[in-house]
Each structure stands twice: as structure tokens, then as C-alpha cells.
Amino acid sequence: MSSLNYISKESLENTLHQHMLWLDDSTLGKPADLSETNLFGSDFRSKKMRNILLRGANLQGANLEGADLSGADLSGADLMSANFRGAKLEKANFTSAVIASVNFTDADMRGANLSRTRGRLTETKWSGSESDTTPLNLSDAKLHHANMERADLSGAILENADLSGANMERSNLSNARLSGATLRNAKLVGAALDAADLSQSIATGADLSGATLKNAMIKGAVMIGALIKDADLSGVDMKSARLHAAMDPMSVELHRQLIEHDFWVSTGGARGARADLEGVNLDNADLRNLNLSGAQMRDVSFRGTQFNGSMLILADLTNSDFEMASLRGCNLSGACLWGCNLRRADLTDASIQPAPISSSDGSKAGRVQKTNLRAANLENTLLEPLNPDHVLMDSPQVAS
């Protein structure tokens, strides 16, 4: 790190006060730029620091518990042993930062950029012995769609962290503790997961192509739909994980009906048959890229099911359970999701807008049907803000 600027306690307090005034009203105060500043051991607990500039700053041992640093730029900063417990770090930039021994427990890091960060020190002490640091703690952190490409997170604690859709391509996660973590649709191409603990994790739809998982623990992991082409799985007990959905005779018949429905839609009714299902169990099923438009699927359990790229236009899904399901890129235009449980479901890039209604002869009726999300549970659903003109909802706000 280059030579740092020093700032008095009074000047720092005034700088932050001016920044908070600016956050409330851009005509008042001014944004803070604390880049290349020595802030060693500073106390920023619960401070409002959104969009603050901290590039290359020294924040070793700083206490930022509960602080709001959404959109902050901490690229190249030294954060060793800092405390970000419960902090708001949505879309914060940590590129090339030193995050050794940092506590990110319960932090909201959705969309944050952690590419090329160092979770452990590679330098050595003057005596030649390895630096003694405590593990990086990201347990229970929200890391939806975070960019962690080429990050060094070896030995990090990521237990129960939500890494849905995160980019961890070519990251070092060797010896990392990922038990109970959610890795749905995560990109782990070429990542190092040697001796990592992935037990009880949920990695449905994850891309592990070319990754190394030598001696990794995957007992109880749900990896349905995961891509493991060219991955090094030496020493891994593949039988201890769920790579495919369980298929009893009933579920085989249900899958057949859904595929027949796809044919029915794509051929305009010339082949297949319309699906009319109610109260069935399709948990953890792989229904990606199917055309299920117009299907009747009320009170169906779709927990953990993969719908990526599927068409559900005008489908009746009333009271169905989509908890932890993946509907990335799914077309839900005009669908009825009244009373559905969408808790922790992934609807990233889903199309949710009115769908035109056709008359019985196939001609346009001149009417549209909005997507119905009334009485739906949207707790921790991955979903972009919705256009109130396109949906029917109890409230225009969506729980994030």
C-alpha cells in the first residue's frame, strides 16, 4: 500500500457528517472521499456511508458493524481483521482488497464485487513463519450475484451463506467451509474446492465445469442439474450427494405429462396433451427449458425445482410451493401465482408482464392478463422491482 493520508478524529467526524447531509440532499454537504487514508481501528458502527470512496484505505481492525456501505468503493483497501458484521454492503466494490480475518457474518453483500480479493495473507512475517490469521468469516452472508472471480477465499467460513448466482470462476475455495450454503446457479468454472466442506449445501444448477474438488466433502449436498464436466472429483464420494432428482413411478408419470404438455403447446395441440395436475409433488425436479404455458398446476410442490428458461405463460399455479426453486429467465407473463410460496426462490431475469389472451379460434381477443402475485410469499425472493402496471399484487414493494 502506498503512503497514506492521516486525518484527525474531528476532521473525520466532519467529513462523515457532510457525507450524510449529502446522502439526504445532494444540494447539501458533499460526498466523502477517504481514499488512501489511514483509518486503522476506526469505529464506524451503524454509520450511514453509502457510496463513500475508500479506495486503498487502511481499515485494519476497523469496526463497521451494522454500517451502511451500499455502493461504497473499497477497492484495494486493507480490511484485515475489520468487522462488517450485519453491515449493508449491497453492490460494494471490494476488488483487490485484503479481506484476511474479516468478519462478514450476516452482512448483506448482494451484487458486491469481491473479484481478486485476498481472504488470507500470502506474505510472511520477518521471521519467515506464516502469518497467523483467523479465518475469513462470511457465514450467513447474503452474496446473491456477487462477483468473486479469482478471489482467494481459501479456508473461509461460508456456512449457510447464500451465494445464489454468484460468480466464483477460478476462485480459490480450497478448505473452505460451505456446509449448508446455497450455491444455486453459481458459476464455479475452474474454481479450486479441494478439501472444501460442501455438506448439506444446495448447488442445483451450479456450473462446476473444470473445477477441482479433490477430497471435498459433499455428504447430503443437493447438486441436481449441476454441471460437473471435466471436474476433478478424485477422492470424492459421489454417492453421498444428490445429483439427480429421485424418480419413483409416480414422478416418472408426472414428468411424462409435463413433457407431453410441452409437445401440446409447441404443436398447437396436434401432439401431446394439456397438463392438468393438482396437489402433486415435483420437488427438486428438472423442468428446465420446457414450455408449460397454459398448464393447470394448482397446489403443486415445486420446492427446489429447476425451471430455468421455461415458459409458464398463463399457467395456473395457484397456491403452489416454489420455495428455493430456480426460475431464472422463466417467462411468467400472465401466470397466476396467487397464494404461492416463493420464499428464497430465484426469479432473476424472469419475464413478468401482461400476456395477451386469445379467443377460442386462436385470434387475438384484444385483452391481456396480468401476472397475479396476490397473497404470494415473496420473503427473500430474488426478484427485480416489478412494474405495478404489469402485475396484480397486495403491495408494490417486494421483499428482498
Side-chain angles (χ1 to χ4, degrees), residues 246-371:
M247 293 286 284
D248 59 31
M250 177 60 75
S251 60
V252 171
E253 172 59 21
L254 293 175
H255 276 73
R256 185 194 65 77
Q257 288 188 50
L258 294 174
I259 293 171
E260 287 290 301
H261 181 91
D262 186 304
F263 288 149
W264 178 76
V265 175
S266 60
T267 63
R271 293 178 59 194
R274 182 183 186 183
D276 190 354
L277 307 172
E278 184 171 354
V280 299
N281 189 324
L282 282 165
D283 291 348
N284 298 312
D286 188 348
L287 304 178
R288 290 175 292 181
N289 301 310
L290 289 179
N291 193 338
L292 301 172
S293 299
Q296 296 286 335
M297 296 185 288
R298 300 165 65 96
D299 297 298
V300 177
S301 184
F302 292 116
R303 295 170 70 91
T305 296
Q306 293 280 307
F307 281 98
N308 295 2
S310 290
M311 305 278 282
L312 287 160
I313 300 170
L314 296 171
D316 186 355
L317 303 158
T318 302
N319 287 324
S320 290
D321 188 351
F322 289 90
E323 183 157 350
M324 292 292 290
S326 180
L327 297 103
R328 289 173 63 90
C330 190
N331 193 333
L332 290 158
S333 299
C336 182
L337 292 153
W338 189 92
C340 285
N341 178 20
L342 290 157
R343 182 175 180 271
R344 298 186 70 187
D346 187 352
L347 279 77
T348 305
D349 297 326
S351 179
I352 301 176
Q353 55 189 345
I357 300 174
S358 301
S359 58
S360 57
D361 60 2
S363 61
K364 292 183 178 179
R367 295 182 294 115
V368 296
Q369 180 169 304
K370 296 181 179 181
T371 304

Side-chain angles (χ1 to χ4, degrees), residues 56 58 77 89 110 167 188 195 270 273 340 356 376 380 382 395:
N58 178 9
L89 301 165
R110 288 173 290 180
N167 178 14
L188 288 150
C340 285
N380 291 320
L382 298 186
S395 168

Side-chain angles (χ1 to χ4, degrees), residues 126-147:
W126 66 270
S127 63
S129 61
E130 291 188 1
S131 299
D132 182 19
T133 61
T134 56
L136 171 67
N137 193 340
L138 284 154
S139 57
D140 297 297
K142 294 179 181 177
L143 287 152
H144 309 160
H145 306 294
N147 181 8

